[in-house]
Amino acid sequence: TMATTWVAKPLTRDPAWAADPALSPDETMIAYASGRSGSGDIWLIDREGGNALQLTDHEAADRRPAWSANGSHIYFTSFRSGEAAIWKVPRLGGTAELVLPDADDPALSPDGTQMAFVRRNESGHYRVTIAPLDDLENFRYLTTSDDGYWFHRNPDFSADGSEICYRSSRDVWVVQVDGGRPLQLTFAHEMTGEPEWSGNFIVYSRDVGGVSSLWRVRRDGGLPERLTPGSAYETQASPSSNGRSIVYSTQRMSSSLIIVDRMRGIETRMTPVGESAMPAVAPDGNGVGFSGQFRKEASLFLQPLSDGVPVGDVRRLTSYAGSFNSVAFSPSGDWVVVNRIWEGQRDIWTLPLGGGPPLQFTTDTAADVTPSFSPDGGRLVFASDRSGRFQIWSAPIEDGRCVGEPQQRTFEDTIDYLPRISPDGLMLAWLANNDDGENIWVQPVETPGAARPLTEGRRIECIEWEPGGRSLLASGDWEGPNRVDLRRVFVADGSVEKVAFDVDFGSGDSGGVHFASGTFSSSGDGRLSVHDHSEMLGDVWILEAEDRDKIEN
């Protein structure tokens, strides 16, 4: 009898990251994105390996290549116009040309007449769309908010062009090109990566507790089957039509937390706990709370500090089911408030640092995220989509519990999150997502509706009030789309200045793939800060099936 053995070999061995592989229609070449030239460009390599050919060269990020039906051109997403847009370039190089603004994740139909892509709808979420290739502005949405959690990304046409598979943030779905209700194919409710057709199967990646491996599921449903062990972070599969070879990437982020003593200019890298993220410094500077991987879920940890340096062991604060993130300290330092994802719900919980179980602060069926305390400790502000889109809400708090009805504080036509109240308790700042990017907005705490933007056309990652409340520190794309830097923004007029201390968040953003989260936090007096430092790693690999004679005894 014949036994199938899968053999994996790397196609790139570059110190720079390589990602987004796409197998050509004749299955001889692979287009991919690489950070070799600094930002992210489209490259081409033979499936047997050898020297790669650079197809694009631009300081903005070029990502997510997709082949034309006849293999003559490669379509890709570029950020050279300041937003995601679809461009194309001849397969052996030449001048890149703009195909469609305000679009991402291109996929071409097998007959070459249609393109599927993703575009934000009126609620600000990515949905799958389709249009004739010769009339791309005549597009229609194929998915709605009922067809998969959060966002919809990475459409791919079936071999006969009649169906499109795509991913929501949690699962794989299929939709008919001529309309009809999309069908959910996987139900693991875990992070899912780039699905692509392979005959009657759909190959995709699945992230289980920080380990990503390749899986496949039959178009007609059934139990998914695991294809790779997840020994590297395996994702972004591009299978051959017969399913006997799969090109994929091992793209992953490496992140660590760095403590900076701004007074003495000393930096200390904290011992990571899995992928540590979203740090918060205790008001008195005696500890750092952060979210880290523990077994399969995100837990909360506390690293005690003494004179700005880690002392003693990291303490795990949560031993409860669910994932915990977005930690913030109360002004007294006695409590932390967190976002807990548990049994399909996203709610705000509080945790007494002196010991004791967490207390549930919000109970609405909506998603409640990114909480923080008012400076007097009497209120919590958080983002909630209970009104239909994410906006800022606040509620009174006493002994860790909600003691009044939550009230809506923002009413703009934006997606709002990460609220922060100024040290004097008078101003509310938050981040708002719209077509113009992610920007800082402010309004007086006592006059909801009097909102105004402090920044425009930016992509801000994280904000924090400075002592005195006249200015905010903000991390974002101040130096361009492939960097994350820290700046001071003045509330009075939105003017911006550099800060005296340098913060290295790592590589920035490469075409919508964030590998510098830009999160940071400071102690109450501003002396200590902690920030997230990230870098992207990874190569393109090919996995091939080999049949061997199996000797039966």
Side-chain angles (χ1 to χ4, degrees), residues 22-38:
L23 199 53
S24 62
D26 64 7
E27 301 185 351
T28 63
M29 305 290 284
I30 292 138
Y32 66 99
S34 169
R36 217 191 234 195
S37 55

Side-chain angles (χ1 to χ4, degrees), residues 328-511:
F329 286 86
S330 67
S332 65
D334 296 338
W335 293 85
V336 288
V337 58
V338 295
N339 172 223
R340 184 184 189 185
I341 306 168
W342 183 40
E343 294 182 340
Q345 271 294 108
R346 289 172 170 261
D347 285 305
I348 309 300
W349 291 66
T350 58
L351 193 70
L353 286 178
L359 303 173
Q360 187 167 353
F361 185 83
T362 62
T363 56
D364 197 278
T365 53
D368 299 324
V369 297
T370 62
S372 68
F373 278 90
S374 61
D376 63 3
R379 298 189 79 77
L380 280 190
V381 281
F382 56 93
S384 175
D385 65 356
R386 55 186 73 195
S387 66
R389 67 162 67 229
F390 276 100
Q391 286 162 320
I392 308 305
W393 291 67
S394 82
I397 183 171
E398 214 172 277
D399 295 328
R401 297 180 192 278
C402 186
V403 291
E405 276 301 305
Q407 291 178 321
Q408 189 173 339
R409 311 305 291 181
T410 65
F411 300 88
E412 303 306 311
D413 197 18
T414 50
I415 295 165
D416 302 337
Y417 59 102
L418 208 71
R420 299 284 185 262
I421 295 179
S422 62
D424 59 12
L426 298 180
M427 293 294 283
L428 171 68
W430 68 93
L431 293 185
N433 173 315
N434 60 10
D435 295 338
D436 196 25
E438 321 262 342
N439 285 286
I440 308 170
W441 286 62
V442 292
Q443 72 184 20
V445 166
E446 294 306 321
T447 47
R452 61 184 170 95
L454 268 194
T455 64
E456 288 178 6
R458 287 275 161 224
R459 187 158 175 173
I460 307 297
E461 304 285 344
C462 187
I463 55 171
E464 182 177 78
W465 286 97
E466 291 199 278
R470 289 176 52 242
S471 55
L472 291 144
L473 292 177
S475 60
D477 61 347
W478 302 105
E479 295 287 320
N482 300 309
R483 286 180 58 89
V484 177
D485 291 287
L486 196 65
R487 292 288 183 271
R488 175 175 291 116
V489 183
F490 289 96
V491 176
D493 58 1
S495 60
V496 178
E497 69 176 27
K498 288 193 171 183
V499 291
F501 40 88
D502 196 35
V503 175
D504 180 8
F505 292 104
S507 310
D509 161 73
S510 175

Side-chain angles (χ1 to χ4, degrees), residues 201-225:
F201 287 91
I202 293 167
V203 177
Y204 63 100
S205 64
R206 180 174 154 196
D207 186 324
V208 184
V211 175
S212 183
S213 52
L214 302 184
W215 292 67
R216 70 178 185 178
V217 63
R218 290 191 72 88
R219 160 61 187 90
D220 51 14
L223 284 175
E225 170 193 2

